[in-house]
Amino acid sequence: MTDERPLPRPSRRTMLGAGVAVAALAAAGSVAWLRRDPPSPAAGLAPIPKADWWERSFPTPDGTPLAVRTFKGRPLLLNFWASWCPPCVQEMPLLAEFYRHHQANGWQVLGLAVDRPDAVRRFLARHPMPFPIALAGNEGLDLARALGDAQGSLPFSVLFDASGAMADRHLGQLHPKQLNHWVTTEKS
């Protein structure tokens, strides 16, 4: 004869604790995934042809076309962002500070919004940026993937050197240490 008593039901406290633990593990995994470096083109990712990138044009929030070729000839930090992306919004003051501090030395910043035009206009009305912002919409994710963002995650930044060649890229929120490294590397 076997003992077939039902198992005790877990308490609400136990269930809540398990839910919090699962959420914490998921958050930690997401952060680790976003902080890893994107694969290099040698890892099977086809880079966007250099000529194609420099021939693109994007509308600004006021509708004026912005030709990418106007940025050629000086270092360019290209940043893919969206107003609905918390890390993107958090890094915008850092990008503004970087631009203000380094523009006299030839550095440029271009923000490509992977977002709706009305959302970008509302964001910029509250938080004006000193550097140009253009609207890439859904095409921006495809472009970011072509430049090395295999996950299609935001924020994603690409550094072009003065010759127009891709020098580096960074998936996830930028930090002063990364920006300082890029400035130091570009001077060499």
Side-chain angles (χ1 to χ4, degrees):
M1 182 173 227
T2 60
D3 187 12
E4 294 193 18
R5 285 182 284 189
L7 294 174
R9 295 184 73 186
S11 69
R12 276 185 99 154
R13 179 180 283 172
T14 302
M15 293 299 289
L16 182 60
V20 168
V22 168
L25 285 171
S30 296
V31 168
W33 178 260
L34 287 174
R35 288 186 181 231
R36 69 186 190 93
D37 288 332
S40 67
L45 229 163
I48 188 166
K50 190 161 88 169
D52 185 42
W53 158 247
W54 292 107
E55 293 308 312
R56 290 178 181 260
S57 180
F58 299 93
T60 61
D62 69 4
T64 307
L66 180 65
V68 174
R69 71 176 154 267
T70 62
F71 294 92
K72 200 168 184 181
R74 296 183 294 154
L76 170 64
L77 171 55
L78 171 65
N79 180 260
F80 292 88
W81 71 284
S83 65
W84 46 261
C85 165
C88 301
V89 171
Q90 289 171 359
E91 80 178 356
M92 289 304 246
L94 176 67
L95 292 173
E97 180 184 333
F98 174 82
Y99 178 73
R100 285 185 193 106
H101 190 258
H102 293 286
Q103 76 181 75
N105 297 325
W107 281 85
Q108 306 170 97
V109 175
L110 171 60
L112 274 185
V114 182
D115 208 337
R116 295 182 331 273
D118 58 324
V120 174
R121 283 190 288 273
R122 280 193 308 272
F123 177 85
L124 292 174
R126 289 187 316 270
H127 311 283
M129 290 294 121
F131 55 86
I133 300 288
L135 304 171
N138 288 336
E139 178 191 354
L141 287 178
D142 294 335
L143 178 58
R145 281 187 183 96
L147 291 171
D149 181 5
Q151 293 84 24
S153 298
L154 295 176
F156 177 65
S157 299
V158 181
L159 175 65
F160 291 96
D161 65 20
S163 74
M166 187 189 313
D168 205 352
R169 56 193 169 189
H170 181 81
L171 179 60
Q173 189 173 345
L174 286 167
H175 299 283
K177 184 177 178 180
Q178 177 69 45
L179 293 173
N180 289 335
H181 172 72
W182 281 350
V183 169
T184 305
T185 303
E186 185 59 26
K187 285 181 182 176
S188 319

